[in-house]
Coordinates of all heavy atoms in Angstrom, one line a residue:
M1 N -7.0 -8.7 7.1 CA -7.1 -7.9 5.9 C -5.8 -8.1 5.1 O -4.7 -8.0 5.6 CB -7.2 -6.4 6.3 CG -7.1 -5.5 5.2 SD -6.8 -3.8 5.7 CE -8.3 -3.4 6.6
R2 N -6.0 -8.5 3.8 CA -4.9 -8.7 3.0 C -4.7 -7.5 2.1 O -5.6 -6.7 1.8 CB -5.1 -9.9 2.0 CG -5.3 -11.2 2.9 CD -5.6 -12.4 2.0 NE -4.4 -12.8 1.2 CZ -3.4 -13.5 1.7 NH1 -3.5 -14.0 2.9 NH2 -2.4 -13.8 0.9
V3 N -3.4 -7.2 1.8 CA -3.0 -6.0 1.0 C -2.2 -6.3 -0.1 O -1.3 -7.2 -0.1 CB -2.4 -5.0 1.9 CG1 -1.1 -5.5 2.6 CG2 -2.2 -3.7 1.2
K4 N -2.3 -5.6 -1.2 CA -1.4 -5.8 -2.5 C -1.4 -4.4 -3.1 O -2.3 -3.7 -3.1 CB -2.0 -6.8 -3.5 CG -1.6 -8.2 -3.2 CD -1.9 -9.2 -4.3 CE -2.7 -8.7 -5.4 NZ -3.1 -9.8 -6.3
V5 N -0.2 -4.1 -3.8 CA -0.1 -3.0 -4.6 C 0.0 -3.5 -6.0 O 0.7 -4.4 -6.4 CB 1.3 -2.2 -4.2 CG1 1.4 -1.0 -5.3 CG2 1.2 -1.7 -2.9
D6 N -0.8 -2.8 -6.9 CA -0.8 -3.1 -8.3 C 0.4 -2.4 -9.0 O 0.3 -1.2 -9.1 CB -2.1 -2.7 -9.0 CG -2.3 -3.2 -10.4 OD1 -1.2 -3.3 -11.0 OD2 -3.3 -3.4 -10.9
Y7 N 1.4 -3.1 -9.3 CA 2.6 -2.4 -9.7 C 2.4 -1.8 -11.1 O 3.2 -0.9 -11.6 CB 3.8 -3.4 -9.9 CG 4.0 -4.2 -8.6 CD1 4.1 -5.5 -8.5 CD2 4.1 -3.4 -7.4 CE1 4.3 -6.2 -7.4 CE2 4.3 -4.1 -6.2 CZ 4.4 -5.5 -6.2 OH 4.6 -6.1 -5.0
E8 N 1.4 -2.3 -11.9 CA 1.2 -1.7 -13.2 C 0.6 -0.3 -13.1 O 0.7 0.4 -14.0 CB 0.2 -2.6 -14.0 CG 0.6 -4.1 -14.1 CD 1.8 -4.2 -15.2 OE1 1.7 -3.4 -16.1 OE2 2.6 -5.0 -15.0
I9 N -0.1 -0.1 -12.0 CA -0.8 1.2 -11.8 C 0.0 2.2 -11.0 O 0.0 3.4 -11.2 CB -2.2 0.9 -11.2 CG1 -3.0 0.0 -12.0 CG2 -3.0 2.3 -11.0 CD1 -4.3 -0.4 -11.4
C10 N 0.7 1.7 -10.0 CA 1.4 2.6 -9.0 C 2.4 3.5 -9.7 O 3.1 3.1 -10.7 CB 2.2 1.7 -8.0 SG 3.3 2.7 -7.0
Q11 N 2.4 4.8 -9.4 CA 3.2 5.8 -10.0 C 4.4 6.3 -9.0 O 5.1 7.2 -9.4 CB 2.3 7.0 -10.4 CG 1.3 6.8 -11.4 CD 2.0 6.3 -12.8 OE1 3.0 6.9 -13.2 NE2 1.5 5.1 -13.3
G12 N 4.4 5.6 -7.9 CA 5.6 5.9 -7.0 C 5.5 7.2 -6.3 O 6.6 7.9 -6.0
C13 N 4.3 7.7 -6.0 CA 4.3 9.1 -5.4 C 4.7 9.1 -3.9 O 5.1 10.1 -3.4 CB 2.9 9.6 -5.4 SG 1.7 8.7 -4.5
G14 N 4.6 7.9 -3.2 CA 5.1 7.8 -1.8 C 4.0 8.1 -0.8 O 4.4 8.0 0.4
I15 N 2.8 8.5 -1.2 CA 1.8 8.8 -0.2 C 1.5 7.6 0.8 O 1.4 7.8 2.0 CB 0.5 9.3 -0.9 CG1 0.8 10.6 -1.5 CG2 -0.7 9.4 0.1 CD1 -0.4 11.1 -2.4
C16 N 1.5 6.4 0.2 CA 1.2 5.3 1.1 C 2.2 5.1 2.1 O 1.8 4.8 3.3 CB 0.9 4.1 0.2 SG 2.4 3.7 -0.8
E17 N 3.5 5.2 1.7 CA 4.5 5.0 2.7 C 4.5 6.1 3.7 O 4.8 5.8 5.0 CB 5.9 5.0 2.0 CG 7.1 4.8 3.0 CD 8.4 4.9 2.2 OE1 8.7 6.1 1.8 OE2 9.1 4.0 2.2
T18 N 4.2 7.3 3.4 CA 4.1 8.4 4.4 C 3.0 8.1 5.4 O 3.2 8.3 6.6 CB 3.8 9.7 3.7 OG1 4.9 10.0 2.8 CG2 3.7 10.9 4.6
I19 N 1.9 7.6 4.9 CA 0.7 7.4 5.8 C 0.9 6.1 6.7 O 0.6 6.0 7.8 CB -0.6 7.4 5.0 CG1 -0.8 8.8 4.4 CG2 -1.7 6.9 5.9 CD1 -2.1 8.8 3.5
A20 N 1.4 5.1 6.0 CA 1.5 3.7 6.6 C 2.8 3.2 6.4 O 3.0 2.2 5.7 CB 0.3 2.9 6.1
P21 N 3.8 3.7 7.0 CA 5.2 3.2 6.7 C 5.5 1.8 7.2 O 6.5 1.2 6.8 CB 6.2 4.2 7.5 CG 5.3 4.8 8.6 CD 3.9 4.8 8.0
L22 N 4.7 1.3 8.1 CA 4.9 -0.1 8.5 C 4.2 -1.1 7.6 O 4.3 -2.4 7.7 CB 4.3 -0.3 9.9 CG 5.0 0.5 11.0 CD1 4.4 0.2 12.4 CD2 6.5 0.2 11.0
V23 N 3.5 -0.6 6.6 CA 2.7 -1.5 5.6 C 3.2 -1.3 4.3 O 3.4 -2.3 3.5 CB 1.2 -1.1 5.6 CG1 0.5 -2.0 4.7 CG2 0.7 -1.3 7.0
F24 N 3.7 -0.1 3.9 CA 4.2 0.1 2.5 C 5.6 0.7 2.5 O 5.9 1.5 3.4 CB 3.3 1.2 1.8 CG 1.8 0.7 1.7 CD1 0.9 1.2 2.6 CD2 1.4 -0.2 0.8 CE1 -0.4 0.8 2.6 CE2 0.1 -0.6 0.8 CZ -0.8 -0.1 1.7
R25 N 6.3 0.4 1.4 CA 7.7 0.9 1.3 C 7.8 1.3 -0.2 O 7.5 0.5 -1.1 CB 8.8 -0.1 1.7 CG 10.2 0.5 1.3 CD 11.2 0.1 2.4 NE 10.8 0.3 3.8 CZ 11.2 -0.6 4.8 NH1 11.9 -1.6 4.5 NH2 10.7 -0.3 6.0
L26 N 8.4 2.5 -0.4 CA 8.7 3.0 -1.7 C 10.0 2.5 -2.2 O 11.0 2.5 -1.5 CB 8.6 4.5 -1.7 CG 8.4 5.2 -3.1 CD1 7.1 4.7 -3.6 CD2 8.5 6.7 -2.9
Q27 N 10.0 1.9 -3.4 CA 11.2 1.5 -4.0 C 11.3 2.0 -5.4 O 10.3 2.5 -5.9 CB 11.2 -0.1 -4.2 CG 11.1 -0.8 -2.9 CD 11.3 -2.3 -3.0 OE1 11.1 -2.8 -4.0 NE2 11.7 -2.9 -1.9
S28 N 12.5 2.1 -6.0 CA 12.6 2.7 -7.3 C 11.9 1.8 -8.3 O 11.3 2.3 -9.2 CB 14.1 2.9 -7.6 OG 14.8 1.7 -7.5
E29 N 12.0 0.6 -8.2 CA 11.3 -0.4 -9.0 C 10.9 -1.5 -8.1 O 11.6 -2.0 -7.4 CB 12.2 -1.0 -10.2 CG 12.5 0.0 -11.2 CD 11.3 0.3 -12.1 OE1 10.3 -0.5 -12.0 OE2 11.3 1.3 -12.8
P30 N 9.7 -2.0 -8.1 CA 8.5 -1.5 -8.9 C 7.7 -0.5 -8.1 O 6.5 -0.7 -8.0 CB 7.8 -2.7 -9.1 CG 8.0 -3.6 -7.9 CD 9.4 -3.2 -7.4
Y31 N 8.4 0.6 -7.7 CA 7.6 1.6 -6.9 C 7.3 1.1 -5.5 O 8.1 0.5 -4.8 CB 6.4 2.1 -7.6 CG 6.9 2.6 -9.0 CD1 6.3 2.2 -10.2 CD2 7.8 3.6 -9.1 CE1 6.7 2.6 -11.4 CE2 8.2 4.1 -10.4 CZ 7.6 3.6 -11.5 OH 8.0 4.0 -12.8
A32 N 6.0 1.3 -5.1 CA 5.6 0.9 -3.8 C 5.4 -0.6 -3.7 O 4.9 -1.2 -4.6 CB 4.4 1.6 -3.3
V33 N 5.8 -1.2 -2.5 CA 5.5 -2.6 -2.2 C 4.9 -2.7 -0.9 O 5.1 -1.9 0.0 CB 6.8 -3.4 -2.3 CG1 7.5 -3.4 -3.7 CG2 7.8 -3.0 -1.2
A34 N 4.0 -3.7 -0.8 CA 3.4 -4.0 0.5 C 4.5 -4.8 1.3 O 5.0 -5.8 0.8 CB 2.2 -4.8 0.4
L35 N 4.7 -4.4 2.6 CA 5.8 -5.1 3.4 C 5.2 -6.4 4.0 O 5.9 -7.2 4.5 CB 6.2 -4.2 4.5 CG 7.0 -2.9 4.0 CD1 7.2 -2.0 5.2 CD2 8.2 -3.2 3.3
V36 N 3.8 -6.4 4.0 CA 3.2 -7.6 4.6 C 2.0 -8.0 3.7 O 1.6 -7.3 2.8 CB 2.5 -7.2 6.0 CG1 3.6 -6.9 7.0 CG2 1.6 -6.0 5.8
K37 N 1.7 -9.2 3.7 CA 0.5 -9.8 3.0 C -0.7 -9.6 3.7 O -1.8 -9.3 3.2 CB 0.7 -11.2 2.6 CG 1.8 -11.4 1.5 CD 1.8 -12.9 1.0 CE 2.7 -12.9 -0.2 NZ 3.2 -14.3 -0.5
V38 N -0.6 -9.8 5.0 CA -1.8 -9.6 5.9 C -1.4 -8.4 6.8 O -0.5 -8.4 7.6 CB -2.0 -10.9 6.8 CG1 -3.2 -10.6 7.7 CG2 -2.3 -12.0 5.8
V39 N -2.3 -7.4 6.8 CA -2.1 -6.2 7.6 C -2.3 -6.5 9.1 O -3.4 -7.0 9.5 CB -3.0 -5.1 7.1 CG1 -2.8 -3.8 8.0 CG2 -2.8 -4.8 5.7
P40 N -1.4 -6.2 10.0 CA -1.7 -6.4 11.4 C -2.8 -5.5 11.9 O -3.0 -4.4 11.3 CB -0.3 -5.9 12.1 CG 0.7 -6.0 11.0 CD 0.0 -5.7 9.7
P41 N -3.6 -6.0 12.8 CA -4.8 -5.2 13.3 C -4.5 -3.8 13.6 O -5.3 -2.9 13.4 CB -5.3 -6.1 14.5 CG -4.8 -7.4 14.2 CD -3.5 -7.3 13.5
D42 N -3.4 -3.6 14.2 CA -3.1 -2.1 14.7 C -2.7 -1.2 13.5 O -2.5 0.0 13.7 CB -2.1 -2.1 15.8 CG -0.7 -2.6 15.3 OD1 -0.6 -3.2 14.3 OD2 0.3 -2.4 16.1
Q43 N -2.5 -1.9 12.3 CA -2.1 -1.0 11.1 C -3.3 -0.9 10.1 O -3.1 -0.3 9.0 CB -1.0 -1.7 10.4 CG 0.3 -1.7 11.2 CD 0.8 -0.2 11.6 OE1 0.8 0.6 10.7 NE2 1.1 0.0 12.9
E44 N -4.5 -1.5 10.5 CA -5.5 -1.5 9.5 C -6.1 -0.2 9.2 O -6.3 0.1 8.0 CB -6.7 -2.5 10.0 CG -6.3 -3.9 9.9 CD -7.5 -4.8 10.2 OE1 -8.6 -4.3 10.6 OE2 -7.3 -6.0 10.1
S45 N -6.2 0.7 10.2 CA -6.8 2.0 9.8 C -5.8 2.8 9.0 O -6.2 3.5 8.1 CB -7.1 2.7 11.2 OG -6.3 3.6 11.6
S46 N -4.5 2.7 9.3 CA -3.5 3.4 8.4 C -3.5 2.9 7.0 O -3.4 3.6 6.1 CB -2.1 3.2 9.0 OG -2.0 3.8 10.2
A47 N -3.7 1.5 6.9 CA -3.7 0.9 5.6 C -4.9 1.4 4.8 O -4.8 1.7 3.6 CB -3.7 -0.6 5.6
R48 N -6.1 1.5 5.4 CA -7.2 2.0 4.8 C -7.1 3.5 4.4 O -7.5 3.9 3.3 CB -8.4 1.9 5.7 CG -9.0 0.5 5.9 CD -10.3 0.5 6.7 NE -10.6 -0.8 7.2 CZ -11.1 -1.8 6.5 NH1 -11.4 -1.7 5.2 NH2 -11.3 -3.0 7.1
E49 N -6.5 4.2 5.3 CA -6.3 5.7 5.0 C -5.4 5.8 3.8 O -5.6 6.6 2.9 CB -5.6 6.4 6.3 CG -5.5 7.8 6.1 CD -4.9 8.5 7.3 OE1 -4.9 7.9 8.3 OE2 -4.4 9.6 7.1
A50 N -4.3 5.0 3.7 CA -3.4 5.1 2.6 C -4.1 4.6 1.3 O -3.8 5.2 0.2 CB -2.2 4.2 2.9
T51 N -4.9 3.7 1.4 CA -5.6 3.1 0.2 C -6.6 4.3 -0.3 O -6.6 4.5 -1.5 CB -6.4 1.9 0.6 OG1 -5.5 1.0 1.0 CG2 -7.3 1.4 -0.6
D52 N -7.2 4.9 0.6 CA -8.1 6.0 0.2 C -7.4 7.2 -0.4 O -7.9 7.9 -1.3 CB -8.9 6.6 1.4 CG -10.0 5.5 1.9 OD1 -10.3 4.6 1.1 OD2 -10.5 5.6 3.0
A53 N -6.1 7.4 0.1 CA -5.3 8.5 -0.4 C -4.6 8.3 -1.6 O -4.1 9.2 -2.3 CB -4.4 8.9 0.7
C54 N -4.4 7.0 -2.0 CA -3.6 6.7 -3.2 C -4.3 7.4 -4.5 O -5.4 7.1 -4.8 CB -3.6 5.2 -3.4 SG -2.8 4.7 -5.0
P55 N -3.5 8.2 -5.1 CA -4.1 8.9 -6.3 C -4.4 8.0 -7.5 O -5.2 8.4 -8.4 CB -3.1 10.0 -6.6 CG -1.9 9.5 -6.1 CD -2.2 8.7 -4.9
E56 N -3.8 6.9 -7.5 CA -4.0 5.9 -8.7 C -4.9 4.8 -8.3 O -5.0 3.9 -9.2 CB -2.6 5.4 -9.1 CG -1.6 6.5 -9.4 CD -1.9 7.3 -10.6 OE1 -2.7 6.9 -11.4 OE2 -1.6 8.5 -10.5
Q57 N -5.3 4.7 -7.2 CA -6.2 3.5 -6.7 C -5.4 2.2 -7.0 O -6.0 1.3 -7.5 CB -7.5 3.6 -7.4 CG -8.3 4.9 -7.0 CD -9.7 4.9 -7.6 OE1 -9.9 4.5 -8.7 NE2 -10.6 5.5 -7.0
A58 N -4.2 2.2 -6.6 CA -3.3 1.0 -6.9 C -3.2 0.1 -5.7 O -2.6 -1.0 -5.9 CB -1.9 1.6 -7.2
I59 N -3.8 0.5 -4.6 CA -3.8 -0.4 -3.4 C -5.1 -1.3 -3.3 O -6.1 -0.7 -3.4 CB -3.5 0.4 -2.1 CG1 -2.3 1.2 -2.3 CG2 -3.5 -0.6 -1.0 CD1 -2.1 2.2 -1.1
L60 N -4.8 -2.5 -3.2 CA -6.0 -3.4 -3.1 C -6.1 -4.0 -1.7 O -5.1 -4.7 -1.2 CB -5.8 -4.6 -4.1 CG -5.6 -4.2 -5.5 CD1 -5.2 -5.4 -6.4 CD2 -6.7 -3.4 -6.2
L61 N -7.2 -3.8 -1.0 CA -7.5 -4.4 0.3 C -8.6 -5.4 0.3 O -9.6 -5.1 -0.4 CB -7.8 -3.3 1.3 CG -6.8 -2.3 1.7 CD1 -7.4 -1.3 2.7 CD2 -5.5 -3.0 2.4
N62 N -8.4 -6.6 0.9 CA -9.4 -7.6 0.9 C -9.6 -7.9 2.4 O -8.7 -8.3 3.1 CB -9.1 -8.8 0.2 CG -9.1 -8.6 -1.3 OD1 -9.9 -8.0 -1.8 ND2 -8.0 -9.1 -1.9
D63 N -10.9 -7.7 2.9 CA -11.2 -8.1 4.3 C -11.4 -9.5 4.4 O -11.6 -10.3 3.5 CB -12.5 -7.3 4.7 CG -12.2 -5.9 4.9 OD1 -11.1 -5.5 5.4 OD2 -13.1 -5.1 4.5
Ligands
LIG1 FE1 1.9 4.0 -5.6 FE2 -0.5 4.7 -4.6 FE3 1.6 4.3 -3.0 FE4 1.5 6.4 -4.6 S1 0.1 6.0 -2.9 S2 3.3 5.0 -4.2 S3 0.5 5.5 -6.4 S4 0.5 2.7 -4.2

């Protein structure tokens, strides 16, 4: 599973980092970043949960 954050949409709320801190990190610019391009299998459910919880739908997952 590949992951990306759309920096144009992200508002920096930090929810993704709270739910999946091994996949996302909040920065002042450009807000949240994905720490990995390919999500490790043991982080996939957290990454999906963070994606569902993102209020801006700024996280893109590709299986
Ligand atoms: Fe950005 Fe969405 Fe993460 Fe909030 S949850 S920091 S809007 S990617």
Side-chain angles (χ1 to χ4, degrees):
M1 174 195 292
R2 297 180 72 82
V3 61
K4 275 195 345 191
V5 174
D6 186 330
Y7 308 129
E8 302 285 328
I9 301 174
C10 172
Q11 295 298 313
C13 70
I15 290 173
C16 56
E17 183 185 62
T18 299
I19 294 174
L22 298 181
V23 180
F24 303 101
R25 174 145 314 144
L26 199 60
Q27 298 188 340
S28 54
E29 288 286 345
Y31 304 123
V33 297
L35 298 173
V36 294
K37 287 187 175 163
V38 177
V39 180
D42 65 346
Q43 294 299 312
E44 286 188 356
S45 103
S46 296
R48 284 189 201 280
E49 187 181 338
T51 300
D52 290 343
C54 174
E56 305 298 331
Q57 299 181 327
I59 302 171
L60 309 170
L61 290 180
N62 290 317
D63 288 320

